[in-house]
Amino acid sequence: GMVRTDHILFIGAGAFHVAKPADMIPELQGRFPIRVELESLNKSDFIRILTEPQNALVKQYQNLLGTEGLEIIFSADAIEEIATMAVEINTSSENIGARRLHTIMEKVMEDISYEASDLEHGQVKIDRAYVSKKVQSIIKDGDLSKYIL
């Protein structure tokens, strides 16, 4: 049946970040009565996103690989390097915000994830050097199209 949308808040972001209200069909224009400009995420925002939420990416990988008997330890400088790279790639190519963290973390954890069942139970420490080694080739390549979600 009919749904009254009088008291529903519509939020448009992502796909709408380059659109002006005049670019949208009138039905959408009326649903976005307030326009707010958002700023790009910075390094400290990415660090917070990686570590603070209950289901932060770092915690997800630690728990996932914990099922294989591996304790994954991310050093503070590794998390800082991931955040720095996310800002750098978002600045030099399409800015996809926090989604960039998924692609970087996937690349950092790729080998460990595939080899987890074959590795000895114990600790795996991830530091700045490891992160740089895994991700620098992507940054230098310049063709990031295959790494963008």
Side-chain angles (χ1 to χ4, degrees), residues 35-138:
R35 184 175 171 154
V36 177
E37 295 285 334
L38 302 175
E39 295 179 10
S40 295
L41 296 170
N42 61 34
K43 182 177 165 183
S44 63
D45 294 331
F46 282 124
I47 291 171
R48 289 184 62 207
I49 291 167
L50 282 168
T51 57
E52 288 182 17
Q54 183 177 358
N55 295 319
L57 274 176
V58 169
K59 295 173 188 173
Q60 287 180 30
Y61 275 102
Q62 288 171 330
N63 290 333
L64 176 68
L65 293 169
T67 62
E68 297 286 345
L70 292 176
E71 180 184 1
I72 306 297
I73 299 171
F74 286 88
S75 67
D77 64 341
I79 292 172
E80 186 176 321
E81 184 69 11
I82 292 168
T84 301
M85 289 180 171
V87 170
E88 185 178 328
I89 296 171
N90 275 350
T91 303
S92 64
S93 69
E94 183 179 0
N95 187 348
I96 60 172
R99 291 175 291 174
R100 180 72 64 200
L101 294 173
H102 283 282
T103 56
I104 293 173
M105 286 292 288
E106 196 173 281
K107 189 65 179 168
V108 168
M109 300 301 296
E110 187 175 48
D111 292 340
I112 296 170
S113 295
Y114 285 118
E115 298 169 3
S117 60
D118 298 333
L119 295 174
E120 291 280 329
H121 295 316
Q123 291 182 343
V124 176
K125 294 182 182 175
I126 297 175
D127 60 4
R128 180 184 302 260
Y130 183 83
V131 171
S132 293
K133 183 176 99 178
K134 292 294 181 186
V135 184
Q136 280 301 332
S137 62
I138 298 170

Side-chain angles (χ1 to χ4, degrees), residues 11-44:
I11 299 173
F16 296 103
H17 78 283
V18 293
K20 299 183 295 280
D23 296 337
M24 296 182 211
I25 61 174
E27 290 81 2
L28 279 178
Q29 288 179 23
R31 297 295 179 206
F32 297 114
I34 300 170
R35 184 175 171 154
V36 177
E37 295 285 334
L38 302 175
E39 295 179 10
S40 295
L41 296 170
N42 61 34
K43 182 177 165 183
S44 63

